[in-house]
Amino acid sequence: MKRHALTLAMLCAATFNACDDSSLLTTRSTGRPYEVVVVNDSDGIVQDALTRHVTALPQREAMFDVTAVTHGGDDLSRCPVRHARNIVTVSIDPKLWPKPKVMYERDTYARPQIIIHVGAPSAKALRTLLAGKGDGAYRGINTVGSLLTAQERACTEAELRKRGNRDMERRVKDMFGIDMHIPRDMKAHMEGKDFIWISDDKPGFMRNICVYTSENRDSVMKANIKGETDSMFMATNKASLVTYACRTENGTATVTRGLWEMRGGSMGGPFVSYAYRDTGRRRTVVVETFVFAPGRNKRTAIMQDEAAVATVTFSQDK
């Protein structure tokens, strides 16, 4: 069983390939996106760390859906949950783990899969290890959470690369000179001045992507996304905003998470926007996803569509 000591360079280099289906390993992993099996977490320390609430959502939702199981020893080869897509094993033993450590392995029993091994000499040391800090939706996220999030995003990106909406991707490239991957079922669209709105147009649970070049979100949305009448329009709930810098393939993007609402109406939901600075053309391109799903959980939808928003690269053809 090959394990890797955690480094950021290895994480960035290996994550995408881990979700590629080209491997000879045919066993498909079980479980839903953002679902994690935690093994031997007797004190619930890892479970508590992974179920912190995602910020900038209209209701409280945990970062991950955690199932806790007990299994004798460190060998998972006979463990009933060994085919789960995301597994975290926990070991507290000062002899085995004189210092806290996180290691991981990929696609050992199924594909795609990540198994993260967390060891510490004491419960206190484990809590300290998991008390990491993060940005945006991942405030307080730890090394384990970062690995799991990167794995889920890479799997979504791999699926988009294979089964994206090529027609909408061409439209976006022609309008804005950017390459990005768009979910296959987002087939409806509306165009405006330096603006495109792409949607799956599903009543009750609608997922959307917008691309525009203005840095003033409210003015763009007021002009392009109306309600039942012109006096109703999409606006930003300023009190909900969380903004931070994020590394992307194009350098650093400004990420904004928050809530949108329909002024003059009762609609609303979460959004995430990535503002990319195109220095070659001296402009900013904003790519945003927003979800409308009243009364339903939205974490997985917004996280998966954020993976699409994060695939932006600037085309060489102007």
Side-chain angles (χ1 to χ4, degrees):
M1 178 173 62
K2 186 176 181 180
R3 298 181 182 174
H4 307 281
L6 176 62
T7 68
L8 288 178
M10 292 174 65
L11 174 61
C12 295
T15 300
F16 176 75
N17 291 332
C19 291
D20 189 347
D21 286 336
S22 60
S23 170
L24 295 178
L25 183 62
T26 57
T27 302
R28 295 292 299 176
S29 57
T30 61
R32 302 182 304 272
Y34 295 91
E35 185 176 65
V36 183
V37 175
V38 178
V39 182
N40 296 335
D41 184 24
S42 58
D43 295 321
I45 298 173
V46 173
Q47 181 172 354
D48 289 345
L50 296 181
T51 53
R52 295 168 186 164
H53 296 291
V54 178
T55 59
L57 287 182
Q59 69 281 331
R60 294 167 67 86
E61 293 187 57
M63 290 188 295
F64 301 96
D65 300 320
V66 175
T67 299
V69 301
T70 301
H71 175 68
D74 186 46
D75 183 9
L76 294 178
S77 61
R78 296 185 178 181
C79 183
V81 300
R82 67 185 180 277
H83 294 137
R85 61 188 282 141
N86 301 311
I87 301 174
V88 180
T89 70
V90 184
S91 176
I92 299 177
D93 189 327
K95 294 182 179 179
L96 292 177
W97 308 96
K99 294 182 179 180
K101 194 171 185 179
V102 176
M103 300 186 298
Y104 68 94
E105 54 188 296
R106 297 192 188 277
D107 301 339
T108 304
Y109 304 108
R111 186 178 187 90
Q113 181 185 65
I114 185 169
I115 302 176
I116 304 172
H117 303 275
V118 184
S122 66
K124 180 179 179 180
L126 180 58
R127 287 190 177 92
T128 301
L129 175 68
L130 298 177
K133 297 179 179 180
D135 292 314
Y138 315 109
R139 282 181 173 176
I141 199 168
N142 48 73
T143 302
V144 178
S146 299
L147 271 171
L148 292 168
T149 300
Q151 172 81 357
E152 290 291 354
R153 176 171 289 192
C155 290
T156 300
E157 290 180 7
E159 183 67 18
L160 289 169
R161 290 176 192 274
K162 289 188 300 180
R163 300 181 180 90
N165 187 326
R166 306 305 175 221
D167 178 57
M168 290 301 168
E169 290 168 1
R170 282 192 293 270
R171 287 179 182 274
V172 170
K173 184 173 182 177
D174 290 343
M175 289 184 67
F176 298 95
I178 62 173
D179 292 299
M180 67 174 294
H181 296 289
I182 296 173
R184 190 174 188 175
D185 57 351
M186 289 191 180
K187 299 178 180 179
H189 78 286
M190 185 191 75
E191 297 180 15
K193 178 175 172 53
D194 298 324
F195 175 88
I196 187 169
W197 173 14
I198 304 169
S199 175
D200 62 6
D201 202 25
K202 294 180 180 178
F205 203 122
M206 186 170 62
R207 299 165 71 164
N208 311 267
I209 288 177
C210 295
V211 187
Y212 49 94
T213 55
S214 171
E215 296 184 59
N216 188 329
R217 182 181 188 276
D218 276 352
S219 65
V220 170
M221 296 306 175
K222 184 176 182 179
N224 292 281
I225 300 185
K226 303 285 188 178
E228 295 178 357
T229 67
D230 286 345
S231 63
M232 299 171 60
F233 56 89
M234 179 184 283
T236 306
N237 181 327
K238 300 294 179 59
S240 69
L241 297 182
V242 178
T243 303
Y244 57 97
C246 177
R247 294 289 300 174
T248 70
E249 294 183 50
N250 287 311
T252 301
T254 300
V255 181
T256 301
R257 322 183 79 88
L259 301 176
W260 63 271
E261 56 192 32
M262 188 63 71
R263 293 287 169 82
S266 58
M267 298 173 66
F271 78 91
V272 181
S273 70
Y274 278 53
Y276 296 93
R277 184 60 185 166
D278 184 355
T279 55
R281 302 177 204 182
R282 298 181 180 180
R283 61 173 183 165
T284 296
V285 177
V286 180
V287 187
E288 170 184 324
T289 177
F290 69 91
V291 172
F292 174 64
R296 303 176 68 176
N297 289 339
K298 304 166 184 64
R299 176 209 60 201
T300 300
I302 199 75
M303 295 296 192
Q304 289 184 327
D305 291 343
E306 182 181 351
V309 168
T311 62
V312 168
T313 57
F314 291 112
S315 173
Q316 296 301 312
D317 300 326
K318 295 187 178 180

